[in-house]
Amino acid sequence: MVIKGTPTQGREQIYFRLRKDKLVSADFSGGRITGIGGIPLLGELEKTTKMVEGAAQAVIDRRIGRIKFTMPQLFLQRVLLICAGYEDGIDSNYHRYDPGILLALGLRLDNSDGLASQSTISVLETQRMNGSNCYRLARYLVDYYVSTKKKAPKRIVLDFDGSCFPAHGDQPGTAYRGYYETNMYFPLLVFDQDGWLISAILRPGNHAEAKITVSLLKRIVGRLRQNWPGIQVVLRADAGFMNPKVYEWCESNSVQYLIRLKVAGGGGGLNSDTKQYLKTAKRRFRKAFGEERFLGRDGQQKRNAFETQLKMLTKEERKEKLIEHRTRKIREFGAFYYQAGKGSKKWNKERRIIAVCDHTDTGPKTIFLVTNFEYDVPQRLYEDLYCQRGNAELFIRDLKALKATKLSCSNFSANQARLLYHALAYLMLHQLRLHLPSSMGRQSLKSMQEKFIRIAASIKESSRRVTIQWTSFWQWEKLVMYLARRLRLIPQAP
């Protein structure tokens, strides 16, 4: 038998049968409650940095007549929703009256108009953010990066990388790319060594990896040297950027580069120069470990049997075996000068090549880098500088975790605008992450969302104050309070 209680006035009640001792009822009369109660932290961060406000002021607003929402309000609403995990324009309708977003924008909670609707956001993306405004916003990202440096850095490392952004329909500019086996956009992303996103340029899916690299380098390096004339700039990139035009521009403009070379056949024409390094690595390997385990016609079968055997071991034994297996490697470093290419594609001069020659149980493996670091030790260049390029993959993963790949607008410039909004959201969460203690290690932006943004909260407004009451059982309470102190939201003791 279902027991009926006294319903809340004007609200239909839901009755659960979960408890035998007490009536369990529910309705939608809880008041102003939000599931993204950490958003006001980002609103406070924006009041300090004014990053999004500056981005909105960088574009030209050609609207005339009665304007209901200012450009900074529209930008901040869009960016905050992306930070909270709501990347679609339609999400503006679902969260129009969310008290957390309203408070972060500095609006009253009883605002009858609420936030901008999906149609307003769509007009912003498809009409207001034309190609010229996208260009202005992209330039602003570089300007803002420069403004965040309190003192002139000695060196900035620029990580250039392209990434696969799969298509969500037949958007203009998408194309099939065989390497990724999908229709896609192929944006060019530039990070510094600390994960700061400096530029995000949308490219058609069929663009060459190194296309527009030189023009973007000119813009970024020119802006950096405008503020810091003597700064050392280093370009770091994978084999997709092995282009003589890139090398020549860097050499003409005192930019140092370290770029991987894609060499056919594991060495091709370079094998004659690396033959001695490979011989030395092989000799040292056999002296240290004996014969290779997985060479010959049955090498792959032996490797499969080894991996099958690993699965049958206990966790401790498997860990020990894996450590032993991975230490069976000898690495030799070498450097030489080489002039690649033939005919019209031949390099205009010889350039320094760094050879990294490994010998393992599967045989030799060689990595080549081209560089204009003339006197640095090859091992230091590879291990201390080039290998750190792997962090750029983590930064791209963070950007994609914010659903930056959701570029589903019907025109190219609107999708470029979306990518730039996601870049602003990335930078907002990245700046919040910089306030965390170093002992925590590097937190992913997905983790930042879960720990600091998606907090259940009740928000109440009276005539004198607005009160945010977060859930009492939040497992990251101490971290939230730590951030609040770093943002100077907790009064200091006298």
Side-chain angles (χ1 to χ4, degrees), residues 32 325 453:
R32 296 187 180 99
H325 172 65
I453 307 301

Side-chain angles (χ1 to χ4, degrees), residues 60-270:
I60 296 178
D61 185 3
R62 300 189 185 279
R63 293 177 296 172
I64 58 176
R66 181 174 175 270
I67 296 175
K68 191 172 182 180
F69 300 100
T70 66
M71 197 64 84
Q73 285 177 327
L74 292 175
F75 267 55
L76 187 55
Q77 174 184 335
R78 191 75 174 95
V79 170
L80 289 177
L81 282 172
I82 292 172
C83 288
Y86 303 110
E87 75 286 352
D88 288 322
I90 192 66
D91 292 320
S92 298
N93 281 350
Y94 304 147
H95 296 273
R96 255 187 109 174
Y97 301 98
D98 187 289
I101 298 287
L102 286 168
L103 184 57
L105 265 69
L107 302 175
R108 290 185 59 85
L109 303 186
D110 57 0
N111 188 328
S112 60
D113 293 329
L115 302 171
S117 65
Q118 183 261 342
S119 58
T120 304
I121 296 297
S122 293
V123 170
L124 171 69
E125 291 181 346
T126 58
Q127 297 179 28
R128 309 300 175 207
M129 291 302 295
N130 53 25
S132 298
N133 271 341
C134 287
Y135 177 75
R136 294 184 183 95
L137 185 50
R139 287 184 65 93
Y140 170 78
L141 289 183
V142 184
D143 292 337
Y144 181 73
Y145 173 72
V146 172
S147 72
T148 60
K149 302 294 183 183
K150 295 181 181 178
K151 60 180 182 180
K154 294 181 180 179
R155 180 173 81 168
I156 290 178
V157 180
L158 300 176
D159 282 312
F160 275 60
D161 207 349
S163 187
C164 171
F165 279 41
H168 292 268
D170 296 321
Q171 286 78 34
T174 58
Y176 183 80
R177 201 173 186 93
Y179 179 82
Y180 297 99
E181 298 182 345
T182 187
N183 288 314
M184 55 178 279
Y185 284 117
F186 192 50
L188 178 58
L189 306 171
V190 183
F191 296 87
D192 79 349
Q193 67 272 20
D194 299 317
W196 197 283
L197 181 54
I198 300 175
S199 191
I201 306 300
L202 191 63
R203 297 181 296 182
N206 56 1
H207 263 212
E209 288 207 73
K211 194 164 185 176
I212 76 167
T213 295
V214 171
S215 59
L216 188 55
L217 263 175
K218 287 179 182 177
R219 184 199 307 171
I220 295 174
V221 174
R223 183 65 185 87
L224 295 178
R225 288 188 172 153
Q226 181 182 338
N227 254 52
W228 311 302
I231 190 173
Q232 179 191 19
V233 181
V234 179
L235 169 63
R236 186 168 58 187
D238 63 16
F241 295 84
M242 48 174 282
N243 189 309
K245 291 181 180 178
V246 176
Y247 313 150
E248 291 166 15
W249 188 89
C250 289
E251 290 159 358
S252 301
N253 293 273
S254 302
V255 173
Q256 293 178 293
Y257 60 86
L258 192 60
I259 300 173
R260 185 167 177 172
L261 281 178
K262 188 186 298 180
V263 183
L270 304 186

Side-chain angles (χ1 to χ4, degrees), residues 251-299:
E251 290 159 358
S252 301
N253 293 273
S254 302
V255 173
Q256 293 178 293
Y257 60 86
L258 192 60
I259 300 173
R260 185 167 177 172
L261 281 178
K262 188 186 298 180
V263 183
L270 304 186
N271 271 340
S272 57
D273 297 283
T274 57
K275 195 173 182 180
Q276 188 58 47
Y277 307 133
L278 291 170
K279 276 186 176 181
T280 303
K282 182 178 180 179
R283 184 176 66 252
R284 288 179 56 205
F285 180 91
R286 291 187 170 179
K287 183 177 180 180
F289 307 113
E291 292 290 326
E292 299 87 342
R293 292 173 176 174
F294 310 132
L295 285 185
R297 292 182 179 179
D298 59 345

